[in-house]
Amino acid sequence: MTTQLALLALFGALNSGRVSAAAPTNPADRKAALAVCVGALTAALVVFAWLSAPALDTLGVSEPDARIAAGIGLLVVAIHDMLVPGPLPEPGLAGSLAGLVPMTVPVGFTPAAAALAIAIGSESGVVGTVVVALPALVLIVAIALLPIPASWQRWIARSTAMLAAIVGVLVTLDGVRSI
Amino acid sequence: MLGWVLVFGVMAVAVHPEDCRAPSAAEIDRASGAAVGWLAANIEADGRILYRYDRDRGVDEGGYNEPRHAGVLWSLFQAERAGVPGAAGVADRGLSWALDRIQDTPIGPAFGEGARLLTGSSALLLAALDERRLLTADTQHDLLMIELGQTLEAAINDEGVLDASIHRDTGPLGDRSAFFPGEVLWALARLHITFPDEQFDEPALRLGRYIVEQRDEVERPWPPISDHWAAYAFETMDRWPDAPSIDSPMEAWIDRQLGLLGLQVRYESQRVGGITTLTRGPNALGAGVGTLGEGIGNWLELDSRTGLLGDDRDVLAERGACAVGLLVDRQARSDDPRIDGAWFRLGDTQMDDQQHALSALLLMRGHLPA
């Protein structure tokens, strides 16, 4: 998988419009929750990328097939995100812990993000995975902190989901065409 | 949580664990010997080989195919050269059957029965004769080899398109085949090494260009072909003293070929019986898995001289080892000489199952991952 495709895939999986829409509305809680969310997402990506090689070895799955699985996972999650409106800030944990629930789980760190962390981590390592995730993480913060109307956030979320669906197909084809 | 289960469920259906292992050289030698043993036990007095056998019913299902007969001869001479004893004797018996079926056509001699002679038959017979010549230094068939090469050259038009068959009385029939171009290219490529003054390089280059740039679009756009015969051919052309360089269309074509070979090995290795019979279907033919090993073995051989594959070499070697590992594990062992050493799919074996599997084992033996 090329760096560009990996970047687009994680950008689609960590859907910044949906994640920021799940942030608390209270400004103080919102900033704290954002910090927790970005930290938790990064930690989750690191753990899955770090475990990728032994996990694939144990499962008997090659890197190209891991890409096929991740691409299909991204496609499924993207279709869900296009059809189902993003979650409201409630129900979730209060205060900064909203950065964990619902922002990280279930909204941000989806099965697609987990599978992509494994697929990208097995090829590019932990650092490479975090680097290609950076644009998505930065955009989550930017969208949540800027005065963007809720309707725009929903539009960003759906557009990102549409992009993710296309990228999911491309990641799958990349796995199919690989040795 | 339900979402995670559903998404991972979909991914698990799409991707199964791959049951791959690299066999040892000793296992490959045993499997190669057993495959030659099957061919030796099932060649008839006139040099014909048991074509298709149903082990469940214990029935010879009949039929015959001249390109496959010639392909078996090539594999047997290859085996003898690789050190499998007794293979050349079996091949010589099969060769006499083929030589009795050389017929004159308006464009020269060709091998086959009946009025419609397949260019692939003559091409693979040429490869077998050339391999025999390398093994024995016997030059008695040189004139026939050159004439068969000239016949094949005459079946290629100015654009590099090959006629699949030649009518005994009227000449080339203008029909097409997906695999004969690779077989003919390989035969001509070999001839240019053996008889460098006969100018078989020009038609070979023309045909090779057609295979790389047009064949897949013109003759069979879908599904794409993983062409093990063309892999043999380009590996051979790379050994020409004036070997053609690999340009960007060729590089792109090789990339597609390697991707196809890798994908098919990965898919085949997911067929482990049980529930995978429902999701992946039954095991592929021994011939099918064999052609994957042949294709990969030839690209690895070419790479060992050129470094063409770069970082892809290790993963390709892993796929090739996986293919021959599957062959070793799936080979039948029995007291029945019609079963022992063969590869069966749904109870049937065909002589080319043994041919392609044998060649794959021999080719990959030198390229097993360390």
Side-chain angles (χ1 to χ4, degrees):
Chain A
M1 188 168 5
T2 63
T3 305
Q4 294 93 321
L5 189 58
L7 188 148
L8 284 173
L10 275 180
F11 184 83
L14 304 172
N15 189 322
S16 49
R18 284 178 72 85
V19 176
S20 56
T25 48
N26 175 303
D29 287 346
R30 195 171 177 85
K31 281 186 185 172
L34 265 176
V36 170
C37 173
V38 169
L41 285 174
T42 306
L45 290 170
V46 166
V47 168
F48 275 76
W50 184 55
L51 292 174
S52 58
L56 292 182
D57 275 351
T58 305
L59 293 170
V61 173
S62 60
E63 287 179 8
D65 280 355
R67 288 204 288 280
I68 293 174
I72 289 171
L74 181 58
L75 178 63
V76 172
V77 170
I79 291 171
H80 168 271
D81 289 353
M82 281 191 283
L83 299 177
V84 179
L88 297 171
E90 302 292 338
L93 297 178
S96 61
L97 290 181
L100 291 178
V101 180
M103 289 179 73
T104 300
V105 179
V107 180
F109 201 71
T110 59
L116 280 166
I118 291 172
I120 297 169
S122 67
E123 294 175 46
S124 309
V126 173
V127 175
T129 307
V130 173
V131 167
V132 294
L134 276 177
L137 296 172
V138 169
L139 202 61
I140 289 170
V141 175
I143 293 175
L145 295 182
L146 291 172
I148 295 175
S151 60
W152 284 34
Q153 285 191 6
R154 283 196 296 276
W155 182 85
I156 292 171
R158 291 222 165 140
S159 303
T160 306
M162 285 169 65
L163 173 72
I166 295 166
V167 175
V169 172
L170 294 178
V171 171
T172 303
L173 289 177
D174 186 71
V176 167
R177 289 177 181 147
S178 296
I179 298 170
Chain B
M1 184 54 73
L2 181 63
W4 279 70
V5 172
L6 284 174
V7 175
F8 273 97
V10 171
M11 290 193 282
V13 171
V15 172
H16 296 344
E18 295 154 29
D19 185 26
C20 273
R21 71 178 188 94
S24 67
E27 285 179 304
I28 287 186
D29 291 344
R30 274 197 298 277
S32 305
V36 170
W38 187 93
L39 293 164
N42 291 288
I43 189 166
E44 295 163 16
D46 65 352
R48 232 172 105 108
I49 299 160
L50 173 62
Y51 183 64
R52 186 183 294 143
Y53 180 69
D54 180 336
R55 73 173 167 191
D56 297 333
R57 295 186 296 138
V59 172
D60 173 351
E61 296 189 304
Y64 217 65
N65 179 293
E66 291 107 11
R68 288 176 177 148
H69 179 91
V72 167
L73 303 187
W74 135 252
S75 291
L76 284 167
F77 285 125
Q78 175 201 20
E80 185 79 31
R81 277 193 78 205
V84 183
V90 185
D92 272 335
R93 288 167 61 190
L95 182 60
S96 60
W97 185 89
L99 295 177
D100 287 345
R101 284 156 182 80
I102 300 292
Q103 304 188 51
D104 285 327
T105 78
I107 60 169
F111 161 47
E113 290 190 302
R116 182 170 166 262
L117 310 177
L118 305 176
T119 46
S121 308
S122 296
L124 294 184
L125 180 61
L126 255 174
L129 286 168
D130 192 47
E131 192 72 6
R132 182 181 184 279
R133 192 180 189 276
L134 290 171
L135 176 72
T136 62
D138 179 358
T139 57
Q140 66 168 313
H141 300 302
D142 281 8
L143 180 60
L144 173 65
M145 289 171 69
I146 292 169
E147 287 178 346
L148 285 172
Q150 289 165 342
T151 301
L152 295 176
E153 180 180 353
I156 303 168
N157 74 15
D158 291 344
E159 283 75 46
V161 182
L162 172 78
D163 286 335
S165 53
I166 305 162
H167 193 280
R168 186 174 52 201
D169 302 322
T170 59
L173 289 169
D175 51 349
R176 301 281 173 263
S177 155
F179 286 106
F180 289 176
E183 295 171 0
V184 170
L185 178 61
W186 184 39
L188 295 174
R190 294 187 69 121
L191 282 178
H192 182 55
I193 292 175
T194 306
F195 306 108
D197 297 332
E198 298 295 332
Q199 297 178 329
F200 287 114
D201 54 338
E202 190 280 324
L205 289 168
R206 206 170 352 124
L207 180 56
R209 183 57 54 198
Y210 172 75
I211 288 173
V212 167
E213 295 183 359
Q214 294 181 57
R215 190 269 309 271
D216 293 348
E217 287 172 26
V218 173
E219 294 185 18
R220 198 169 102 179
W222 189 263
I225 301 167
S226 63
D227 192 343
H228 57 291
W229 294 120
Y232 276 108
F234 288 117
E235 188 280 326
T236 304
M237 288 168 79
D238 183 66
R239 285 188 277 115
W240 288 359
D242 49 347
S245 59
I246 294 173
D247 56 14
S248 55
M250 176 79 181
E251 229 170 78
W253 184 81
I254 292 173
D255 274 350
R256 285 200 304 278
Q257 287 291 309
L258 299 181
L260 284 170
L261 290 166
L263 174 67
Q264 290 176 94
V265 172
R266 285 187 276 127
Y267 191 86
E268 187 60 34
S269 66
Q270 295 175 24
R271 290 171 159 156
V272 293
I275 198 166
T276 67
T277 311
L278 296 175
T279 55
R280 292 290 181 270
N283 290 349
L285 295 168
V289 182
T291 59
L292 302 179
E294 288 177 280
I296 291 172
N298 276 293
W299 291 120
L300 289 171
E301 189 64 31
L302 191 153
D303 176 71
S304 61
R305 292 190 302 272
T306 62
L308 169 78
L309 299 174
D311 293 342
D312 288 338
R313 181 183 175 87
D314 288 347
V315 69
L316 190 67
E318 216 174 281
R319 302 286 177 260
C322 180
V324 291
L326 293 172
L327 289 171
V328 166
D329 291 341
R330 292 176 182 178
Q331 189 176 35
R333 306 317 295 249
S334 165
D335 293 334
D336 184 341
R338 295 199 161 200
I339 295 175
D340 189 46
W343 284 267
F344 287 85
R345 180 181 188 268
L346 302 176
D348 280 352
T349 189
Q350 211 167 262
M351 65 177 177
D352 54 311
D353 288 322
Q354 282 59 271
Q355 172 215 329
H356 290 293
L358 174 59
S359 286
L361 291 164
L362 297 170
L363 280 163
M364 277 305 303
R365 193 185 185 284
H367 298 290
L368 296 174

